[in-house]
Amino acid sequence: MDELDWVSIKSGLLEMARKRGAEVARVGDPALLEDAEPGLRPSDLLTDVKSMIVLGGAAPRAAEWQSPRVEVMETVGTADRMAALGSSVARHIEDTFGYYALNVPTSTDENDKAFLDFKAAAIASGAGSASLAGPVLDPTYGFLYLTVILTTLPLPVDGPLQEAACPAPQCVEMWDEKGTTPCMAVCPIDDGGCLGGEIQEGLVIKRRYNEEKCRDRVYHYWTPGYQAALERVLDEPDARKRKMILYGSFFTRTMWSITYSGVSQGQCFECIRACPVGTEQRVLI
Ligand code: SF4
Ligand code: SF4
């Protein structure tokens, strides 16, 4: 096929993904991720991979962001809708063009590691840029869930964004006035939170991040908590105490989270709630 065919195949695929719910659809060069550690390289997942399609979407709805009950947001964050979309795009590629297409699992591999660095894939394809808070941010939509399809289809690549979404102009202003930004103000690393850093000449520098603490909040009701509670139950000789653990609210909420969600269920959004990038999408009349 000549170059024009690849261009129209690419636009057809991305258009299909958008029609099915992706807010952002881009193509990146998987070679940009090949210096990742062994096991996390695109070619470790799909031999002869030529392109990676990155789709972003399924962000919480405006009403969910607006809800005064923070517990609502603790239950709606999940990547499963994007994973389903990625699988259907991958199937379409294989059925229609006869090229391999693998929707990268959004669950974790050995040692609780991801199969691929989704963030790096999104940045390499321009499906957002890195942020001080952590998630990749699209300049228009802000935080989105991601799915990555690796394929042997040689699609033309989009490449990284020219302008980063973070820090937003409001954050630069806030930094100049108060020495902090909205995300750092809600989760300050030096005061019980997870985020720190500075802004210099419009760029984030010296970023600090307490990953362990953040992970505990984002995945509070999740597999590690379930494992820890189970261990305590197995070690607990007192039947009454065992019952309290198993039927208590932590274990019950954890079971709901695990059994009624897809993968990558986030439960803390406070830094992104404060982040101005994409706020237009969260406020309706
Ligand atoms: S997700 Fe929650 S815990 Fe993690 S950095 Fe943001 S506000 Fe802090
Ligand atoms: S609030 Fe958002 S845009 Fe501002 S510094 Fe934090 S992550 Fe970046």
Side-chain angles (χ1 to χ4, degrees):
M1 292 194 192
D2 60 24
E3 184 66 18
L4 250 190
D5 288 320
W6 297 121
V7 170
S8 55
I9 286 170
K10 172 187 166 184
S11 59
L13 284 171
L14 299 191
E15 189 51 30
M16 183 185 99
R18 284 194 202 94
K19 278 191 183 144
R20 294 190 189 179
E23 307 286 8
V24 174
R26 307 265 298 189
V27 176
D29 181 357
L32 295 177
L33 271 60
E34 282 299 315
D35 57 359
E37 63 179 278
L40 281 176
R41 297 174 298 217
S43 60
D44 294 329
L45 293 169
L46 182 66
T47 308
D48 209 22
V49 56
K50 294 283 192 311
S51 323
M52 58 189 180
I53 301 171
V54 181
L55 308 177
R61 303 315 317 141
E64 292 160 356
W65 284 109
Q66 299 298 331
S67 174
R69 287 289 307 278
V70 74
E71 291 83 358
V72 170
M73 288 291 285
E74 288 178 356
T75 64
V76 295
T78 171
D80 61 348
R81 277 158 285 178
M82 293 315 294
L85 175 58
S87 292
S88 95
V89 171
R91 178 176 293 275
H92 178 77
I93 291 171
E94 294 198 341
D95 290 351
T96 311
F97 305 109
Y99 281 75
Y100 291 109
L102 181 149
N103 188 46
V104 179
T106 43
S107 54
T108 54
D109 193 13
E110 282 173 8
N111 301 322
D112 206 20
K113 278 191 181 166
F115 280 86
L116 186 81
D117 185 342
F118 277 49
K119 203 166 140 178
I123 293 167
S125 64
S129 57
S131 76
L132 198 161
V136 164
L137 297 179
D138 173 76
T140 305
Y141 295 99
F143 167 79
L144 295 171
Y145 285 101
L146 300 167
T147 197
V148 181
I149 302 129
L150 301 177
T151 176
T152 51
L153 259 181
L155 300 172
V157 297
D158 293 308
L161 293 177
Q162 295 300 311
E163 253 181 64
C166 169
Q170 301 94 313
C171 304
V172 177
E173 240 171 68
M174 187 172 173
W175 173 261
D176 290 342
E177 276 173 28
K178 300 180 178 168
T180 188
T181 64
C183 58
M184 287 196 284
V186 297
C187 198
I189 197 162
D190 294 322
D191 193 12
C194 309
L195 299 172
E198 295 174 19
I199 293 183
Q200 199 179 73
E201 293 173 12
L203 296 174
V204 173
I205 59 165
K206 299 182 186 168
R207 178 175 183 259
R208 289 186 294 150
Y209 175 53
N210 187 329
E211 185 175 359
E212 207 176 313
K213 191 179 277 183
C214 175
R215 191 174 164 75
D216 187 47
R217 292 177 184 173
V218 171
Y219 297 111
H220 189 64
Y221 301 106
W222 200 239
T223 310
Y226 171 80
Q227 289 162 324
L230 201 60
E231 193 177 17
R232 275 190 57 195
V233 165
L234 293 173
D235 287 343
E236 178 55 65
D238 184 331
R240 201 178 49 90
K241 285 188 184 161
R242 280 204 304 272
K243 214 165 190 174
M244 276 169 63
I245 297 170
L246 289 175
Y247 294 90
S249 109
F250 175 80
F251 200 77
T252 306
R253 283 194 68 175
T254 300
M255 290 305 294
W256 275 100
S257 295
I258 292 175
T259 53
Y260 279 87
S261 85
V263 288
S264 305
Q265 190 207 46
Q267 293 154 0
C268 179
F269 289 88
E270 296 318 302
C271 51
I272 295 301
R273 188 194 293 281
C275 176
V277 181
T279 36
E280 298 78 18
Q281 316 299 325
R282 298 184 220 147
V283 182
L284 305 178
I285 48 169

